[in-house]
Amino acid sequence: MQPPRERLVVTGRAGWMGMGRGAGRSALGFWPTLAFLLCSFPAATSPCKILKCNSEFWSATSGSHAPASDDTPEFCAALRSYALCTRRTARTCRGDLAYHSAVHGIEDLMSQHNCSKDGPTSQPRLRTLPPAGDSQERSDSPEICHYEKSFHKHSATPNYTHCGLFGDPHLRTFTDRFQTCKVQGAWPLIDNNYLNVQVTNTPVLPGSAATATSKLTIIFKNFQECVDQKVYQAEMDELPAAFVDGSKNGGDKHGANSLKITEKVSGQHVEIQAKYIGTTIVVRQVGRYLTFAVRMPEEVVNAVEDWDSQGLYLCLRGCPLNQQIDFQAFHTNAEGTGARRLAAASPAPTAPETFPYETAVAKCKEKLPVEDLYYQACVFDLLTTGDVNFTLAAYYALEDVKMLHSNKDKLHLYERTRDLPGRAAAGLLLAPRPLLGALVPLLALLPVFC
């Protein structure tokens, strides 16, 4: 099957223009584009809650709660509630493009539908899962929307790979390279023909080099008869169980149920299943920050149109050499010297109120008894941030590896990977030795990808 060849192109309606009567609910069709653009700017963490306002409006105007017509009093009430929500967060949203776009969009819609600014407002409602038999729960999806049935109907079981990002932040690439990185600001984790994943990392403390993931955006690209383009966006204290348009699946296409979001733990753990590309994504909020883990077939991992443009695809290439931190050296020095005496020399300055080395080790041992890289990452994070929640971040990252990694012999890693000068480009695409024989023919066939 020939995969989509297009690169990510910003498409859709230009803002709110071109909206006629009855287009109210489709008027937010530009949010996926806007969400991606917002995440492209390396901004500091903001208390702006515009995503919450968007979600409440969609809950009130779609699914079983949708008004019979966009011209009903209920629709105007939902718009007034939306406007009230934006006014309440106005002070903290100055300079936020999504906020200003929403404000102008609300004004346009209220004018189009003759809604007065004064009047009753609607109470936010939570979206409910559709009943059995609804279009979001179809079981008769086309075969093309099930990866293992379509891509490998006449070949062996695909090889699955794993990538994860957690903590301060620590990266495990698709080829099991383990790195600790600075990567402050917005960085792409995945960028292929099927989806894009981008994270924004912000300082844990003012003036500290220690960073953690505060925002995550995932774009699932339009794919044949399976899914419409969908965007998932999470931020600190905002881990939604729906895409930004309020839906929980791949849209209105026949194979829409091949893309689904499931909330495992409210506000803490979300799982996204993209069966049409054989991919599972786990997003968690641990403490204040986010973690990311994915299971993806090698064939999908390598489905990139232009290899030369993949220099910052972190899950595939790893972090740039100048962004890598040798946390094992820090760990060794801390063991011999004491964490507080290393603050000036460490690559990630120690927080004002951190744990003594012995305490950090004891806390990490409780959750991570095997002294592998996840354990060492835990100790590093406690010494550099002073935040005990980073212990749980490392623990859940390892739990996700156990669930998502296809090779159970590689759950624990013991030697981190740091590129040597001169190897930063040459060694980027090297796979683990057992996979190399299978990957070389795949790369040779990449231009035609069949």
Side-chain angles (χ1 to χ4, degrees):
M1 181 183 64
Q2 193 73 8
R5 285 293 186 183
E6 70 275 5
R7 302 285 297 156
L8 177 65
V9 178
V10 176
T11 59
R13 304 181 196 275
W16 297 80
M17 299 176 64
M19 298 297 171
R21 293 177 68 83
R25 263 166 280 160
S26 64
L28 295 183
F30 78 108
W31 281 111
T33 294
L34 184 58
F36 180 75
L37 292 175
L38 287 172
C39 195
S40 298
F41 295 95
T45 301
S46 168
C48 177
K49 295 298 181 184
I50 191 61
L51 288 180
K52 182 173 182 291
C53 298
N54 298 344
S55 178
E56 289 178 354
F57 176 69
W58 273 99
S59 295
T61 59
S62 59
S64 60
H65 302 300
S69 167
D70 287 348
D71 294 325
T72 63
E74 289 84 0
F75 185 74
C76 290
L79 278 174
R80 283 190 288 268
S81 295
Y82 194 9
L84 177 62
C85 185
T86 60
R87 288 197 295 273
R88 286 172 175 169
T89 193
R91 186 178 61 83
T92 59
C93 290
R94 292 175 182 172
D96 189 298
L97 295 179
Y99 165 78
H100 291 290
S101 184
V103 169
H104 292 301
I106 292 167
E107 293 174 355
D108 289 347
L109 286 176
M110 293 189 76
S111 174
Q112 289 175 28
H113 299 283
N114 299 317
C115 299
S116 64
K117 293 185 178 180
D118 298 321
T121 58
S122 61
Q123 294 299 316
R125 301 185 181 98
L126 294 176
R127 284 179 60 86
T128 56
L129 288 173
D134 187 276
S135 61
Q136 290 200 15
E137 296 294 331
R138 296 179 196 145
S139 60
D140 60 340
S141 297
E143 186 175 277
I144 197 174
C145 299
H146 193 292
Y147 177 80
E148 290 193 12
K149 291 180 180 178
S150 60
F151 278 41
H152 295 274
K153 189 173 183 179
H154 304 293
S155 59
T157 303
N159 288 320
Y160 286 93
T161 59
H162 162 75
C163 177
L165 186 77
F166 69 97
D168 180 17
H170 308 282
L171 172 71
R172 180 169 180 160
T173 71
F174 283 128
T175 53
D176 292 312
R177 299 159 72 227
F178 196 98
Q179 300 171 340
T180 298
C181 310
K182 303 173 188 176
V183 291
Q184 182 173 336
W187 291 78
L189 281 182
I190 299 173
D191 180 11
N192 62 37
N193 290 342
Y194 302 97
L195 79 163
N196 298 79
V197 180
Q198 184 161 290
V199 294
T200 300
N201 302 312
T202 52
V204 174
L205 294 166
S208 171
T211 62
T213 301
S214 58
K215 181 184 289 187
L216 170 75
T217 299
I218 307 171
I219 299 181
F220 297 89
K221 301 180 185 180
N222 187 318
F223 182 72
Q224 299 188 17
E225 57 189 288
C226 304
V227 299
D228 299 318
Q229 178 170 294
K230 291 287 179 175
V231 175
Y232 179 79
Q233 188 170 46
E235 297 184 45
M236 290 169 56
D237 302 319
E238 189 73 31
L239 188 69
F243 296 109
V244 296
D245 64 2
S247 66
K248 292 177 178 287
N249 79 332
D252 297 325
K253 294 185 177 181
H254 193 52
N257 70 330
S258 62
L259 176 63
K260 281 186 178 181
I261 293 183
T262 303
E263 186 175 60
K264 298 293 187 178
V265 180
S266 179
Q268 298 179 34
H269 180 188
V270 168
E271 185 175 301
I272 305 176
Q273 290 281 351
K275 292 183 180 178
Y276 66 101
I277 51 174
T279 295
T280 300
I281 294 174
V282 175
V283 182
R284 299 178 187 267
Q285 175 162 318
V286 185
R288 299 179 62 219
Y289 299 101
L290 304 173
T291 70
F292 170 85
V294 62
R295 180 180 189 259
M296 183 180 289
E298 285 183 356
E299 195 168 21
V300 176
V301 168
N302 292 291
V304 295
E305 182 176 301
D306 182 3
W307 284 94
D308 293 337
S309 69
Q310 299 302 312
L312 296 180
Y313 176 170
L314 299 187
C315 276
L316 182 64
R317 299 268 183 139
C319 297
L321 184 60
N322 64 358
Q323 293 292 319
Q324 296 179 32
I325 296 172
D326 190 349
F327 84 85
Q328 281 185 309
F330 177 82
H331 177 87
T332 301
N333 291 335
E335 185 175 4
T337 311
R340 296 186 184 279
R341 292 170 57 189
L342 287 170
S346 69
T350 305
E353 297 296 332
T354 58
F355 296 96
Y357 177 78
E358 295 77 12
T359 303
V361 166
K363 287 186 175 296
C364 291
K365 279 277 191 181
E366 290 176 7
K367 287 290 186 181
L368 301 157
V370 178
E371 294 189 19
D372 60 0
L373 291 180
Y374 290 89
Y375 161 81
Q376 293 184 31
C378 172
V379 174
F380 175 85
D381 288 352
L382 291 189
L383 295 180
T384 56
T385 69
D387 185 347
V388 72
N389 287 305
F390 281 83
T391 302
L392 288 176
Y395 169 76
Y396 284 124
L398 184 57
E399 290 300 298
D400 290 338
V401 172
K402 293 176 182 178
M403 179 180 72
L404 300 174
H405 205 294
S406 60
N407 188 340
K408 302 309 178 185
D409 293 331
K410 292 189 175 182
L411 299 183
H412 298 282
L413 298 177
Y414 296 92
E415 293 297 327
R416 70 181 294 278
T417 307
R418 180 176 173 84
D419 291 321
L420 299 174
R423 286 191 57 207
L428 291 176
L429 300 179
L430 290 180
R433 290 183 183 273
L435 299 179
L436 191 57
L439 188 56
V440 170
L442 178 62
L443 293 176
L445 292 174
L446 189 60
V448 294
F449 195 81
C450 53

